[in-house]
Amino acid sequence: MIQRMPPTQTFDEVIQDALAKFEATPDYKEVGRVKTTVSGLPAIRVEGAWTSEKTGTMAQALRLAIVEHDGVRDVVEVTGTCAGAQAKEIWTTVRAIQDSVELVK
């Protein structure tokens, strides 16, 4: 997903908005957060999981990056999701897919 940022919005506010959505999910637990880069641009990786009666345990990896160009800023969000039982087997693949994203200004 790509979304234009308001001129006064900070990257920290973008992160807080994303975290608020995660934290609003019943039984959500964050399992990791690290500042990183995507294509050399500032980014953050947030990973978490939750359990519900309908879906069982779900794991989700969120990568957010900011692209500044032509006087504007866009937030690029790359999300990977899998069933909790799959996470041990495919989590390195989810991260590799997110790591492979190339952003161009």
Side-chain angles (χ1 to χ4, degrees), residues 28-50:
Y28 172 77
K29 303 283 188 268
E30 185 175 306
V31 295
R33 181 188 317 185
V34 68
K35 289 184 179 179
T36 186
T37 61
V38 173
S39 297
L41 300 168
I44 190 162
R45 180 179 74 211
V46 180
E47 298 174 343
W50 65 92

Side-chain angles (χ1 to χ4, degrees), residues 5 9 16 18-19 29 32 34 40 44 59 63 66-67 79 82 85 95 101 103 105:
M5 292 175 63
Q9 188 177 31
Q16 290 308 312
L19 293 175
K29 303 283 188 268
V34 68
I44 190 162
R63 194 78 57 103
I66 302 295
V67 179
T79 305
C82 69
R95 285 182 175 172
V101 171
L103 302 175
K105 293 185 192 181

Side-chain angles (χ1 to χ4, degrees), residues 12-88:
D12 285 338
E13 290 170 335
V14 170
I15 294 166
Q16 290 308 312
D17 289 347
L19 293 175
K21 290 175 189 172
F22 272 151
E23 292 164 357
T25 303
D27 200 37
Y28 172 77
K29 303 283 188 268
E30 185 175 306
V31 295
R33 181 188 317 185
V34 68
K35 289 184 179 179
T36 186
T37 61
V38 173
S39 297
L41 300 168
I44 190 162
R45 180 179 74 211
V46 180
E47 298 174 343
W50 65 92
T51 303
S52 77
E53 289 182 28
K54 288 183 179 182
T55 63
T57 300
M58 299 298 295
Q60 193 162 70
L62 173 67
R63 194 78 57 103
L64 294 171
I66 302 295
V67 179
E68 295 186 38
H69 60 97
D70 304 320
V72 298
R73 296 174 304 143
D74 294 321
V75 177
V76 178
E77 178 181 320
V78 181
T79 305
T81 306
C82 69
Q86 297 172 310
K88 190 171 187 173

